[in-house]
Amino acid sequence: MKFGTKAIHAGVEPDPSTGAIMTPIFQTSTYVQASPGVHKGYEYARTQNPTRDALQKNLAALENGKFGLCFSSGLGAIDAVIKLLKPGDEVISTNDLYGGTYRIFTKVFEKYGIKFHFIPMENPASMADYINANTKLIWAETPTNPMMNIVDIAEIAKIAKQHGVLFAVDNTFATPFLQNPLDLGADIVMHSVTKYLGGHSDTVMGALIVNDEALAQQLAFIQNACGAVPGPQDCFLVLRGIKTLHLRMERHCQNGASIAHFLRNHPKVEKVYWPGFEDHPNHAVAKKQMRGFGGMISFVIKGYKLDDALKVMENLHYFSLAESLGGVESLCGHPATMTHASIPKSEREKVGLVDSLIRLSVGIEDVDDLKEDLRKALALI
């Protein structure tokens, strides 16, 4: 199946009892057994749920993987990956990454003796100074959040395999429509399903997709033992959202490109971060490993004044000021005080995340309305 067909059909079958074409919401906590241990494949809903099973199979197919696991949030999925490690292990991570990931790494797992190194990964060779016998995981985002840096997945996968290190990629910004890290050599793909996969800002969920059966079994054990599983209603909503993922992503990419060029040509905008520009430092890598450049853009107001950035965000209409991203509606955010507030200011500024930076999640509205929205807000400063 090609992608659009997989989005609609993979992992999904008509309900055998009724013929319902949509996967039912199996709103149950437990399942009747004919005799102790004799059942129809389901015992308890934390461990298995038919609605969740369908979604997990669908997500695995979209990422060209064999095993999918869903969690109650993206951070729940990240939590499960780090629980593969033990005290004394070390992790090499992108230095520009989602603030919640940074927070769980530094505020939760460092207390249990796991060491994290945050480094720029745009040049894979930079990892050489950090890999040692204790290195057990490389964690990357690409494109990164919010600076839109690009990491060469295939090159880092080679380094990871040379040293016997697991390699996980947060593929939230790209989605499986634009990029498939497993095909490029990654061991684990992580998604905040909350974002583009759900696509309608109405669920919170995370997912992991892998090819290795033993690794899948380890993660499934953690999923069940620790219990961070999504409910069947949310799984149903995400299955519904995924059916239009390919159509939505096409429009997100079109609108994103148009808005990126509009902002770059605006006299009140200093910098625009978007991997589709030919002069982006890693544009060639993005072009090689992605099938489009997505709908995420960050930009800085000329003069770098926080008050100007706040005025722009407060006066946007179609770009709603809110956390999160990837919904059909356009959003704007202020990473320094919202999504990345848990990262110290000194660390934020090392990667260019200044207080006047605005992050846009470009939706699927009419792009002329979005441009006019930005034009009006920028005219106020």
Side-chain angles (χ1 to χ4, degrees):
M1 289 185 283
K2 297 196 182 296
F3 190 92
T5 309
K6 282 197 285 190
I8 294 169
H9 293 287
V12 177
E13 299 288 342
D15 177 51
S17 63
T18 64
I21 195 165
M22 302 306 296
T23 304
I25 302 170
F26 286 89
Q27 196 71 54
T28 184
S29 62
T30 193
Y31 308 85
V32 173
Q33 303 185 24
S35 184
V38 180
H39 50 75
K40 298 179 180 180
Y42 295 92
E43 300 171 85
Y44 187 59
R46 184 187 68 248
T47 310
Q48 299 139 322
N49 178 282
T51 316
R52 190 170 88 224
D53 284 352
L55 176 58
Q56 291 179 153
K57 290 174 184 175
N58 182 265
L59 290 171
L62 293 182
E63 281 288 10
N64 299 328
K66 295 179 181 177
F67 307 98
L69 300 103
C70 288
F71 296 81
S72 54
S73 68
L75 284 167
I78 295 169
D79 176 78
V81 173
I82 307 302
K83 283 175 178 170
L84 296 169
L85 310 180
K86 63 182 187 304
D89 288 346
E90 298 187 12
V91 178
I92 299 174
S93 170
T94 330
N95 67 336
D96 170 31
L97 79 169
Y98 168 53
T101 306
Y102 181 90
R103 182 178 58 227
I104 197 172
F105 285 177
T106 60
K107 303 298 183 184
V108 177
F109 283 105
E110 277 192 349
K111 291 195 294 186
Y112 296 99
I114 297 172
K115 186 174 182 180
F116 296 87
H117 303 278
F118 299 96
I119 67 169
M121 288 188 182
E122 298 88 273
N123 176 15
S126 65
M127 289 192 295
D129 294 336
Y130 297 90
I131 294 182
N132 59 59
N134 295 323
T135 307
K136 296 297 185 290
L137 174 69
I138 297 170
W139 183 273
E141 288 180 12
T142 184
T144 61
N145 181 4
M147 302 309 299
M148 306 306 296
N149 291 311
I150 300 295
V151 173
D152 192 325
I153 298 171
E155 287 302 309
I156 293 183
K158 290 177 187 175
I159 295 169
K161 284 179 171 52
Q162 286 170 4
H163 294 87
V165 174
L166 278 176
F167 178 30
V169 176
D170 182 338
N171 201 30
T172 300
F173 271 25
T175 81
F177 180 75
L178 298 180
Q179 179 173 272
N180 299 114
L182 295 180
D183 291 348
L184 298 170
D187 299 297
I188 302 171
V189 176
M190 175 268 170
H191 282 280
S192 175
V193 178
T194 309
K195 313 303 193 295
Y196 285 106
L197 294 175
H200 293 77
S201 302
D202 55 8
T203 58
V204 174
M205 193 185 298
L208 301 172
I209 301 96
V210 303
N211 274 325
D212 182 83
E213 186 172 5
L215 178 58
Q217 290 174 349
Q218 285 180 283
L219 291 167
F221 174 83
I222 294 168
Q223 179 196 43
N224 182 53
C226 297
V229 295
Q233 171 77 21
D234 284 342
C235 293
F236 172 86
L237 289 171
V238 173
L239 276 169
R240 184 179 68 171
I242 283 175
K243 291 182 188 298
T244 58
L245 177 63
H246 53 302
L247 303 176
R248 290 186 283 108
M249 287 308 298
E250 287 175 357
R251 177 59 77 89
H252 284 301
C253 288
Q254 292 168 7
N255 283 0
S258 185
I259 295 295
H261 285 92
F262 166 81
L263 288 171
R264 177 171 258 199
N265 293 322
H266 197 284
K268 293 184 179 178
V269 174
E270 180 69 31
K271 292 183 179 179
V272 182
Y273 299 94
W274 180 66
F277 292 133
E278 291 188 1
D279 59 355
H280 183 284
N282 286 84
H283 174 73
V285 176
K287 198 171 180 181
K288 177 183 71 172
Q289 70 188 22
M290 299 175 72
R291 295 178 287 272
F293 303 110
M296 296 302 300
I297 300 166
S298 293
F299 71 101
V300 177
I301 302 296
K302 190 161 286 185
Y304 296 91
K305 293 180 180 178
L306 174 59
D307 287 346
D308 285 346
L310 296 177
K311 183 174 283 189
V312 169
M313 289 184 285
E314 290 167 356
N315 286 281
L316 288 166
H317 178 65
Y318 297 124
F319 284 91
S320 299
L321 178 58
E323 299 265 4
S324 200
L325 59 103
V328 292
E329 69 289 323
S330 292
L331 299 177
C332 72
H334 186 237
T337 59
M338 296 168 73
T339 55
H340 292 66
S342 58
I343 301 176
K345 183 175 181 177
S346 60
E347 294 299 312
R348 294 196 305 262
E349 291 185 341
K350 284 180 185 177
V351 300
L353 203 175
V354 295
D355 286 350
S356 55
L357 182 135
I358 298 170
R359 191 191 72 181
L360 301 180
S361 174
V362 182
I364 64 171
E365 302 95 336
D366 189 296
V367 75
D368 290 335
D369 289 332
L370 298 179
K371 288 179 184 177
E372 185 62 19
D373 196 25
L374 288 163
R375 186 179 290 110
K376 288 179 178 178
L378 287 164
L380 299 175
I381 59 174

